[in-house]
Amino acid sequence: MDNKTLLDKLNSLSIEEKIGQLIQLTGDFFEGDMDTVVTGPLKKLGLSASYNVYNTGSILNITNPEKIIRLQTDYLEKSVHKIPLLFMADIIYGYRTIFPIPIAQACSWNYEGIEHAASVAARECYEEGVHVTFSPMVDIVRDPRWGRVMESPGEDTLLARKYAQSVVLGIQGRNVESTAVPANKIAACVKHFAAYGAPVAGREYNAVDMSEHALREYYLPGYQAAIEAGAKLVMTAFNTLNGIPATGNEWLNRDVLRQEMNFDGVLISDYAAIEELIMHGYAKDEASAARLALLAGVDVDMKTAIYANQLENVISGNVHMLELLNEAVYRVLKLKNDLGLFEDPFRGLQEIVKLPTSSILSDDHKKAALSLAEESVVLLKNEHELLPLSKHTKVALIGPYAEENSTLGMWAIKGEETDTVNLKTGLLKHVDPDNLTVCRGAYMMPVHARKNLGKYADKLAAETIDEEVLLQQAIRNANEADVIVLALGESIYQSGEGGSRTNPTLPEPQLKLLHELSLLGKKIVLIVYSGRPLILTDVAEKVDAIVQAWYPGTMGGEALANILYGKVNPSGKLAMTFPRSVGQIPVYYNELNTGRPNLKENGTYRFASRYIDEVNEPLYPFGYGKSYTSFEYSLLTLSPKEMKTNESVDIRISVSNTGTHDGKETIQLYIRDKFASVARPVKELKDFKKVFLQSGETKIVEFSIDEDMLKFHGRGMEYKSEPGEFDVYIGSSSQEILLSFSFIFLPEDKHE
C-alpha cells in the first residue's frame, strides 16, 4: 500500500475508529459473546461498555498460531474497515529455543552470534504468528541490585550500541534501506526509553535522577543505535527522569526521540504506564493522563482504558490534539503496512500451520543456542588449573541447580523446562555414571523468604525433605568424590522485573551448604546461576574455581559441561562489574576521575576518594574473564603519534597463545582523554577484537583510532572532539592493561 492509499485509509476512519487503533488489549476481549465481554474483561479494565473491541489496533501476548488465525479472522469479519490486528509479545531472548539471558549474551562479545540468536527468535515468532517483539532492551545498568540486569547488555555504552544494533538486525533483517519487514522476520521494539536502568538505589520502578550530560553520554547511544538499525517501535519507560515520567515527557519523546534521533516509528507505552502517570502525581486524572501522553507522542496505550475512554473528549474542539491523534494513527497503520498485513493479515500463517515441520526447536536452532551459551559463560577463578576436569575424576554434583531445569530466566515466557538440558544431563555426556553422584544439598532459598516472591512463590516446588537431611547427603557424596561441582545461584524469580535485592548474594541455605562443604578439604568448582552480578567476595575464598553461568538457556547444561570437561575453552568476558560489597554499588569501570583519586602510590592516604574498610577495586572488573590457556601481547607498530582531522592512529599488535589449549581472546582497547572542557572518564572502551588462536599460534590484530572515537558531549551538550593528549590502553580487561601509549589529536584548523 503506497503512502497516498495509507492516508486515504486514515482519513476514512471516524474519531472512535482512530482511537481504537491506539489501543492494545489481550485476546480475552474477543472471547465469547459481547455480553460476556462487557461483564468480564471490559469491566475489569475499566473500558466503557460502549467501546467497540473491533476497532482495537493490537493484541498483547497471544502466541498460539491457531488462536491468532481465529482472532484475526473473527476481527476482520466484524470490523468495518478491515484493518488487521497487530499481535505483539514479550519474546526477549528466544521463543521456544531459549538463548542465554541478554546480560550473558553481552559477555560473549560475539555480536554475530547475538544477531543470529535474534534471527532464530524472530523466525520462531514468525512461524507462530507474532508480529512484534518487545526486544531489545538496551538500558545501561550500573547497579546489580536492580532485578532487570538480566535483560540488559550491561554497563558499557559501546557494548549496548553493538547489542542494540545486532538484535534489531537479527529480528528485522539487514536491509535497513527498505521499510518492509521480510518473511521470517518481525518488528523490533527497543526499550525502555529512557534511562530505565538507573533507578535510585536499584529499586524497581524508582525515580531516575541524572544529569543531561550523563543521559546523553552513556544512556542514549544504545537506543540511537537501535533506531539507526531500523527498529520499528520504541517503548517508554516506567520511571521518572529528573522529575518527569518518561511516558508523559514531551521533551524526551518528541524533542530527543523524534527530532534529534529521527525516530518516525511507533512509540508504545509500557504496561499500564499511561495510567500510572496519575500515580506519579504528574496527571491529576485519566483525562489529564491521556492528554499528557498524546502530547508526549505516545502512539499506543498498552493495556489501560485511558486512551479508549478519554481521548475523544481530549481532542474535541482542539485542532492540535486532533493532528497529534492523526499522526499516531498513521504510524500504527504504517507499521501494519510495513509488515505486509494489508496484503496478508496472517503473514503466511495459514500456510505455515499446514506444513509438516517447523524450525521451532530445530537442531540448527539448538546448535545456535549451545554455541552462544558456551561463549557467554565466564570463568572467574581457576586456582591451580583445576579446570578442565578429567572424565575419570569422581565428581559429586551438589546444589539446587544440579538437576534444575528452571534455568531459562524470568522472561522466557514460551520456554519449556522439559526442553532444557540441565547440568546433570550435560555432565553425563562426558563422565561415566559411576563417577558421578548427584544431590541437592540445600533449599534454593529460605522457605520464609518465598513470600517476597508474590505470585511466583507458587512456581517453586514445595520443600518436603528436611534441610539437615539434604546437607548430610551432600557431605556423604562429597567425601566419596575427588571434586565437588557445586551448582548454586539465585532463583530465577529473585531476578527479573520486580526482583530488586538489597543484598545480591547467594541465598542463605546455599551459603550454609558451601561453608560446610568447604570444611571437607575437597576441591570445589562453583557454578553460579544468576540474572545479575552477585557479591561473591567471601564465597570466592572457599572454592577453587568459579564459573559464572548466568541463566544459560535451553542448552545451558550441555554448554557448561563442555566447558567443565575442556571440550570448549571458556572465552566470556564480563559486561558488568562484580562488586566486592553492597557499599561499593553503583560500581563501574568508566567512572570520572576526582581531584583526589585513589592512587596506589598514596597507600592508605586518608584524604583520597576511597573506602577505608574495603579494598577499593571490584572483585571482578568489567571485561574480565579467564581462559584455560594464556595469551601474550606485544606492540608491533603505531602510526602516527600525532593525528589530524580525517586521519587515524593505526595500531598493529601481536597476540600469541602461549598455553596448551586452543582458545579465544577478546583484546580490548580503551582510551582516556587526559584533558577536556568537561571531566572525562578514567578510561572508555572504544574497540575490541575477539580472535581464535590455536595453542602456539600468533596473530596480528589491528586497531584504528579515528576522530569519532574521541567525541563526547561538551558543556552545551554539543557532540564534538577536542584537541589534546590521549592515553590508549590495550588489555584483556578494564584492569588488566598489557600495552599502553599516548598520542596527540591536533585538528588541522587548530594546527599552526
Side-chain angles (χ1 to χ4, degrees), residues 211-218 673 675-681 684 710-722:
S211 68
E212 185 179 347
H213 182 270
L215 176 69
R216 291 184 179 278
E217 190 73 5
Y218 307 113
D673 190 342
F675 174 80
S677 58
V678 297
R680 304 290 293 125
E684 291 180 292
L710 310 182
K711 291 181 177 179
F712 61 93
H713 290 88
R715 295 178 184 176
M717 300 303 121
E718 69 281 8
Y719 190 60
K720 63 176 184 177
S721 63
E722 291 181 352

Side-chain angles (χ1 to χ4, degrees), residues 53-91:
V53 296
Y54 294 98
N55 290 330
T56 301
S58 60
I59 300 296
L60 176 65
N61 280 341
I62 297 295
T63 55
N64 178 284
E66 287 78 15
K67 188 171 185 178
I68 287 173
I69 290 172
R70 188 170 69 250
L71 287 173
Q72 189 76 282
T73 301
D74 176 62
Y75 180 87
L76 292 172
E77 286 177 354
K78 296 176 181 177
S79 65
V80 174
H81 293 277
K82 315 303 180 189
I83 299 172
L85 286 165
L86 276 169
F87 289 88
M88 307 189 191
D90 283 295
I91 309 301

Side-chain angles (χ1 to χ4, degrees), residues 19-36:
I19 292 171
Q21 287 299 309
L22 310 187
I23 310 303
Q24 181 165 96
L25 303 175
T26 45
D28 53 350
F29 285 84
F30 298 87
E31 298 291 296
D33 58 43
M34 280 309 297
D35 289 338
T36 304

Side-chain angles (χ1 to χ4, degrees), residues 187-202:
C189 176
V190 63
K191 61 186 186 182
H192 306 84
F193 198 75
Y196 182 48
V200 173

